[in-house]
């Protein structure tokens, strides 16, 4: 570290108690300006690692020559530290790994401390290692001329959430800037507390969200499967449209298909959608026929609606199907429950609807769900979708069945991903910037025979 | 992280094109596997074979030699090839990089190629999928804290949406690098508030080394065109409708392929391009949009004068937008 004093830190931390009123005023203005930028900086970055980094960088650029921040974040201590001569580094340490004595004490008691470093000898290293977490940084500081480290508590909402260590090059200390440092640590504490709180909530939400998100689709030789989901509440990242494509463990060549839509949007709808997917997964183990799967699922949902107010108002529509392979034959059987008809896009561009006559799920205890069947030839494509596609609102009208069929006709015989992309693009162009409902699309394309 | 030294991929280019142009995914995967076995590295294969094929696909579509379906099929094959290449690469190391696309751009290819190139260079890059919404971007940033976000934009009409993405990313303190065909030339990226511009995946790697670690919020755009741009974006639906109603193609010869439909489908893109030009304070955005539309119309046997008529109709509808008017007439 250089022994030359850096200008800005010198001004912010100068002991100006005996200075000219004008100089004191100038310093007060600089300090206020810095604190404002610090607050903005710490509160904007709501990712703990990056937030700490931004903070330490700012401190090293403008206030001190050495800085270390330690906070508790979930099951870790997050430590970011460095000197003004290099980029700060961040490490995560399990809570079980003990922190250096003085840093730990400050986190426990909420009391600050000043650690005076001997000029040389083994005592210097010991004193440093009672505060500094990063071994590499401690070694560098041992060779530096820093004489004093201040250990300051970071607190918010009446608890200590971390500690800040700051140091200055030789010949400078913190006398006359105690109030400024107190102000600084208070703002850092409040800012980091919010960041850590957001991170904690996001972690919980993310785990739940992953359990609600659609599963992966299986790989099936000779069959391409592509899907597309756009949720209405993008910030919640989940919605009430759902789909499932599963291997039937009893008949390994068969696939169970499901695509559906729950009333409502966002996370509440997603929770209900997950229950329906689970019910279909379970009933598929009992029944082979999609109509029977929907009938049993419907009974489960009617019972739930009777017993649980949470679900009494929630309707769901769905189309459930089975793809069965028999030699070169690929048969599709579908049953619908108040859902838009699945479309079979033939390789030559004709579009055939596969009507589903049943009523929506969760309404009538004894409802029946008639089935339709078709054969999928090489080059044919089966399209399951939710009404978010056809009811996408344009400048003058809804996207509609006709536009969907016209779009499909242009991608007949194409790979599944190309079909999904074409529909997603057409719907997105039609919507422009307007709000939309949940949108889901599942496309299964039987690959053409090579050389045909 | 050095630039690769490699065999040229030229010998594989024709084989790859032969497979892609008929939508033969297995054939395309086989060419990729062969090229890599011959010592071509991933990055070179992407640039000299895949990107080159995509460029040809775009040309064939623009000149109407290919249908939309053929274009979609070829693109789907190339995307599958790039995804598979990405899967063969070991997970990168170092700070996370998040790669996304402009909102409402559904061709994921440019961002996929960039992600795969970064990973081939040993970096930890993640692709967020086509049409990355601002909410998705911000969520990913809060959860994962990337070192930087890289956004690709191919269409000149995407720039107003890209600006909103830049605002969202910078609001979290994260540097944002932009690239793609929408940025050709000029200072558009700087005006839109991006931290840096990368002309190619290789350039992106170089740019990353010099990025600041943290950036402040985007500065509001205050030039006269910016206000017009916002007004136009809010009224885009109405403007498109009025332009099409006012469009006078009276005495122009109509070929069998009715290119009135072509003009109608591309007018929203042109109106958004005007909003882009205003926002970037750069009339050349409109020059590019017009050159592109000329190509599309003449490729479909239309009279190029029709594009001039469209511009006249636009100028009439935008008579209360002095900056836009000056750009349309420049």
């Amino acid at each position: 570290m250089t022994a030359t004093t850096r200008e800005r830190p010198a001004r912010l931390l100068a002991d100006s108690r005996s200075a000219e009123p004008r100089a004191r005023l100038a310093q007060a203005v600089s300090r206020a300006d810095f604190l404002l930028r610090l607050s903005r900086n710490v509160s904007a970055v709501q990712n703990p690692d990056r937030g700490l980094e931004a903070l330490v960088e700012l401190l090293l650029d403008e206030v001190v020559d050495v800085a270390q921040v330690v906070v508790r974040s979930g099951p870790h201590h997050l430590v970011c530290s460095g000197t003004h001569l290099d980029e700060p580094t961040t490490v995560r340490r399990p809570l079980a790994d003990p922190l250096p004595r003085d840093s730990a004490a400050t986190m426990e008691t909420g009391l600050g401390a000043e650690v005076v470093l001997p000029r040389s000898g083994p005592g210097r290293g010991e004193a440093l290692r009672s505060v500094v977490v990063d071994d590499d940084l401690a070694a560098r500081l041992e060779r530096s001329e820093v004489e004093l480290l201040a250990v300051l508590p970071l607190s918010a909402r009446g608890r200590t959430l971390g500690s800040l260590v700051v140091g200055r090059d030789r010949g400078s200390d913190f006398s006359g800037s105690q109030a400024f440092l107190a102000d600084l640590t208070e703002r850092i504490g409040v800012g980091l507390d919010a960041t850590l709180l957001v991170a904690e909530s996001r972690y919980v939400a993310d785990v739940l969200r992953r359990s609600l998100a659609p599963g992966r689709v299986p790989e099936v030789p000779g069959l391409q499967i592509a899907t597309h989901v756009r949720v209405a509440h993008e910030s919640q990242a989940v919605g009430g449209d759902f789909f499932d494509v599963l291997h039937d463990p009893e008949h390994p060549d068969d696939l169970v298909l499901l695509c559906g839509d729950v009333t409502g949007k966002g996370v509440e709808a997603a929770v209900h959608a997950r229950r329906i997917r689970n019910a279909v997964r379970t009933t598929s183990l009992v029944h082979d026929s999609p109509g029977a799967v929907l009938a049993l699922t419907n009974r489960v949902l009617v019972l739930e609606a009777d017993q649980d107010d949470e679900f009494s108002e929630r309707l769901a529509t769905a189309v459930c199907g089975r793809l069965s392979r028999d030699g070169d034959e690929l048969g599709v059987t579908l049953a619908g429950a108040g859902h838009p008809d699945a479309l079979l896009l033939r390789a030559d561009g004709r579009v055939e609807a596969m009507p589903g006559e049943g009523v929506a799920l969760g309404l009538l205890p004894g409802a029946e769900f008639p089935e339709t069947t078709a054969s999928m030839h090489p080059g044919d494509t089966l399209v399951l979708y939710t009404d978010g596609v056809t009811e996408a609102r344009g400048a003058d009208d809804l996207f509609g069945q006709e536009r969907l069929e016209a779009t499909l006709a242009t991608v007949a015989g194409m790979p599944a991903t190309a079909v999904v992309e074409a529909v997603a693009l057409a719907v997105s162009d039609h919507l422009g910037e307007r709000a939309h409902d949940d949108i889901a699309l599942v496309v299964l394309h039987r690959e053409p025979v090579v050389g045909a | 992280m050095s630039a690769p030294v490699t065999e040229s991929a030229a010998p594989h280019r024709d084989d790859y094109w032969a497979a892609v142009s008929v939508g033969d995914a297995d054939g395309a995967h086989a060419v990729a596997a062969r090229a890599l076995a011959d010592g071509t590295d991933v990055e070179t294969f992407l640039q000299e074979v895949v990107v080159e094929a995509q460029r040809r696909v775009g040309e064939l579509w623009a000149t109407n030699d290919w249908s939309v379906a053929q274009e979609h099929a070829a693109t789907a094959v190339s995307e599958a090839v790039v995804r598979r290449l990405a899967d063969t690469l070991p997970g990168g190391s170092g700070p996370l990089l998040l790669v996304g696309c402009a909102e409402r751009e559904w061709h994921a290819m440019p961002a996929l190629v960039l992600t795969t190139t970064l990973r081939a260079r040993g970096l930890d890059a993640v692709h967020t999928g086509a049409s990355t919404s601002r909410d998705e971007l911000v969520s990913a940033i809060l959860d994962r804290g990337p070192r930087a976000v890289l956004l690709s934009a191919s269409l000149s009409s995407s720039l107003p949406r890209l600006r909103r993405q830049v605002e969202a990313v910078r609001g979290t303190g994260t540097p944002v690098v932009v690239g793609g065909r929408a940025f050709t030339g000029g200072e558009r990226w700087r005006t839109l508030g991006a931290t840096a511009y990368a002309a190619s995946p290789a350039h992106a790697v170089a740019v990353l080394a010099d990025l600041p670690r943290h950036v402040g919020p985007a500065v509001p755009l205050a030039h006269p065109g910016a206000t017009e741009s916002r007004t136009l974006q809010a009224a885009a639906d109405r403007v498109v409708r009025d332009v099409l109603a006012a469009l006078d193609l009276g005495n122009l010869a109509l070929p069998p392929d009715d290119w009135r439909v072509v003009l109608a489908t591309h007018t929203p893109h042109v109106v958004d391009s005007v909003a882009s030009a205003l926002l970037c304070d750069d009339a050349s955005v409109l020059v590019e949009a017009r050159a592109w539309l000329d190509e599309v119309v003449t490729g479909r046997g239309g009279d190029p004068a029709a594009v001039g008529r469209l511009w006249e109709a636009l100028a009439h509808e935008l008579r209360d937008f002095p900056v836009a008017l000056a750009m349309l007439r420049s």
Side-chain angles (χ1 to χ4, degrees), chain B residues 10 20-21 27 49 57 82 90 103 112 122 138 152 155 170 198 207 227 247 256 274 289 295 302 314:
Chain B
V20 164
S21 56
V49 179
V57 169
V82 179
E103 240 174 315
L112 260 180
V138 171
S152 141
L155 307 171
R170 285 191 53 177
V207 163
T227 315
L247 192 54
V274 178
E295 191 182 10
L314 257 176

Side-chain angles (χ1 to χ4, degrees), chain A residues 212-215 242-244 258 273-281:
Chain A
L212 297 174
F242 56 93
F243 66 82
D244 237 342
L258 174 71
R274 178 78 228 196
R275 293 164 76 114
I276 296 176
R277 275 172 61 202
N278 288 349
V280 168
R281 283 180 174 208

Side-chain angles (χ1 to χ4, degrees), chain A residues 425 428-429 432-433, chain B residues 102-106 131-132 155 161 272:
Chain A
L425 179 74
S428 158
D429 279 351
E433 306 285 330
Chain B
E103 240 174 315
R104 287 178 54 197
E105 285 197 12
W106 294 91
S131 183
T132 319
L155 307 171
R161 287 182 283 278
D272 284 351

Side-chain angles (χ1 to χ4, degrees), chain A residues 39-237:
Chain A
S39 293
R40 274 203 195 127
N41 223 317
V42 176
S43 59
V45 187
Q46 302 221 295
N47 172 278
D49 298 60
R50 284 194 53 92
L52 282 198
E53 233 166 55
L55 163 70
V56 170
E57 222 164 72
L58 188 67
L59 291 173
L60 291 171
D61 273 353
E62 305 201 16
V63 191
V64 293
D65 302 315
V66 184
Q68 167 185 286
V69 180
V70 180
V71 291
R72 267 189 298 271
S73 170
H76 294 102
H77 276 126
L78 212 52
V79 184
C80 181
S81 58
T83 73
H84 71 93
L85 297 172
D86 45 56
E87 295 207 326
T89 53
T90 307
V91 289
R92 282 174 178 278
R93 293 157 53 98
L95 286 180
D97 289 5
L99 290 171
R101 191 187 61 230
D102 288 320
S103 292
T106 294
M107 300 212 12
E108 274 162 34
T109 61
L111 299 172
E114 287 207 333
V115 177
V116 179
L117 304 172
R119 278 284 174 87
S120 58
R124 182 170 173 84
E126 269 167 45
L128 274 165
R129 283 177 180 78
S130 74
V131 179
V132 177
V133 177
D134 186 72
D135 285 335
D136 180 52
L137 178 62
R140 271 180 293 145
L141 290 178
E142 209 169 339
R143 297 190 298 272
S144 75
E145 297 187 323
V146 174
E147 294 166 345
L148 178 78
L149 293 176
V151 189
L152 306 159
L154 297 174
S155 310
R157 293 182 294 140
R159 62 188 184 89
T160 309
L161 57 109
S163 72
L164 166 70
V165 174
V166 287
R168 302 182 68 189
D169 271 349
R170 193 173 71 165
S172 314
D173 60 11
F174 297 105
S175 50
S177 44
Q178 305 300 1
F180 173 62
L181 281 184
D183 223 346
L184 183 116
T185 50
E186 186 195 358
R187 283 167 195 249
I188 293 174
V190 171
L192 286 182
D193 181 55
T195 299
L196 294 168
L197 205 62
V198 167
E200 190 82 17
S201 312
R202 291 197 66 84
Y203 172 73
V204 173
D206 190 47
V207 172
L208 294 173
R209 223 188 331 254
R210 277 203 301 270
S211 73
L212 297 174
R216 293 180 66 92
V217 294
E219 300 240 332
V220 185
L223 195 70
Q224 300 171 356
I225 307 172
T227 60
H228 169 68
V229 176
R230 248 182 111 179
V231 299
H233 289 184
E234 278 175 344
S235 58
Q236 296 189 7

Side-chain angles (χ1 to χ4, degrees), chain A residues 47 50 87 202 410 428 434, chain B residues 69 106-107 142-143 213 237:
Chain A
N47 172 278
R50 284 194 53 92
E87 295 207 326
R202 291 197 66 84
T410 64
S428 158
R434 281 169 289 276
Chain B
W106 294 91
H107 274 326
L142 295 184
D143 289 338
R213 291 163 72 88
D237 282 343

Side-chain angles (χ1 to χ4, degrees), chain A residues 182-381:
Chain A
D183 223 346
L184 183 116
T185 50
E186 186 195 358
R187 283 167 195 249
I188 293 174
V190 171
L192 286 182
D193 181 55
T195 299
L196 294 168
L197 205 62
V198 167
E200 190 82 17
S201 312
R202 291 197 66 84
Y203 172 73
V204 173
D206 190 47
V207 172
L208 294 173
R209 223 188 331 254
R210 277 203 301 270
S211 73
L212 297 174
R216 293 180 66 92
V217 294
E219 300 240 332
V220 185
L223 195 70
Q224 300 171 356
I225 307 172
T227 60
H228 169 68
V229 176
R230 248 182 111 179
V231 299
H233 289 184
E234 278 175 344
S235 58
Q236 296 189 7
V238 288
D241 284 9
F242 56 93
F243 66 82
D244 237 342
V245 181
L246 311 162
H247 276 294
D248 178 352
E250 303 288 316
H251 310 83
D253 282 348
D254 286 12
L255 282 182
V256 176
L257 314 176
L258 174 71
C259 178
D261 177 358
V262 173
T263 49
K265 295 186 179 80
V267 71
E268 294 91 346
V271 169
H272 194 49
R274 178 78 228 196
R275 293 164 76 114
I276 296 176
R277 275 172 61 202
N278 288 349
V280 168
R281 283 180 174 208
T282 311
T283 51
S284 299
L285 294 174
V286 184
H287 293 296
D288 289 349
S289 94
V293 168
L294 282 183
L296 186 50
T297 302
N298 178 59
R299 278 174 55 196
V300 173
L301 294 175
V302 169
L303 278 176
E304 282 196 340
D306 289 345
Q307 291 168 357
D308 192 339
D309 287 348
E310 169 79 16
F311 300 104
S312 59
E313 296 299 308
R314 289 213 181 264
L315 289 185
T317 69
V319 58
C320 179
R322 174 170 288 264
L323 232 59
S324 16
R325 197 178 278 280
D326 182 10
D328 284 344
E329 277 295 304
L330 185 63
V332 191
T333 309
L334 293 181
H339 197 80
D341 293 342
L343 300 174
L344 192 50
L345 169 65
R346 298 294 187 185
D348 63 7
R350 280 176 303 126
V351 179
E352 300 167 12
M354 294 188 68
E357 311 281 334
V359 293
L361 299 170
L363 282 175
L364 306 171
E368 296 198 348
F369 301 89
E371 293 174 350
T372 48
T373 58
S375 266
M376 272 181 84
H377 308 298
D380 287 353
T381 305

